[in-house]
Amino acid sequence: MAQFPTAKDIYLEVDGRRLAAAQSYRVTGSRETRFVESFGASAPAAAVAGVPRYTVELSRLRITGEETDFYGLENFTVVIVKPDRKILYTGCQWADIVEEAGGGDPVSETLTAYAAGRMEVAV
């Protein structure tokens, strides 16, 4: 039976140190595509793919190590552990940070980051 990632399997690290775990994540991958057109042709001759871009959103972040100021983070890695592999989003820079609290609940943080690269590593 396939196992889905849990909070212990979704984390943020800097220099190999785990700083925070997330309860959930969402990744959006995109890339710009341009069409190459031939003079006089009614349809494009080819499509050229651009550089992939990754947006990673981590929800309900929880600090796991020493106190961390998410606003000071630069060049970090988001790691998502799956049953047969790890997916690493590297060279991350944060874009948005949302802090929420209310009704006696602990502070919850959501962090959106842009990643420079993505790689999969077998476990």
Side-chain angles (χ1 to χ4, degrees):
M1 178 185 283
Q3 294 179 339
F4 293 97
T6 63
K8 69 180 174 68
D9 302 319
I10 306 164
Y11 57 92
L12 189 146
E13 69 177 31
V14 174
D15 297 329
R17 289 185 354 255
R18 190 181 295 205
L19 299 180
Q23 185 175 8
S24 62
Y25 74 97
R26 185 176 110 164
V27 175
T28 305
S30 64
R31 66 180 178 187
E32 187 177 303
T33 302
R34 296 188 347 232
F35 293 102
V36 178
E37 298 181 16
S38 297
F39 182 73
S42 62
V48 178
V51 177
R53 299 175 193 273
Y54 306 100
T55 304
V56 181
E57 184 177 304
L58 302 174
S59 299
R60 300 191 57 90
L61 279 173
R62 181 177 43 88
I63 304 297
T64 57
E66 54 206 52
E67 188 173 330
T68 301
D69 174 19
F70 292 123
Y71 294 96
L73 287 176
E74 292 185 1
N75 196 28
F76 57 93
T77 300
V78 174
V79 180
I80 300 166
V81 180
K82 297 200 175 189
D84 58 343
R85 67 192 185 282
K86 284 184 182 182
I87 301 173
L88 307 167
Y89 292 94
T90 58
C92 294
Q93 299 291 336
W94 69 268
D96 294 303
I97 297 173
V98 177
E99 298 177 53
E100 295 180 62
D105 293 334
V107 173
S108 169
E109 296 189 68
T110 300
L111 182 136
T112 302
Y114 296 117
R118 178 188 186 276
M119 74 172 92
E120 292 190 22
V121 179
V123 214

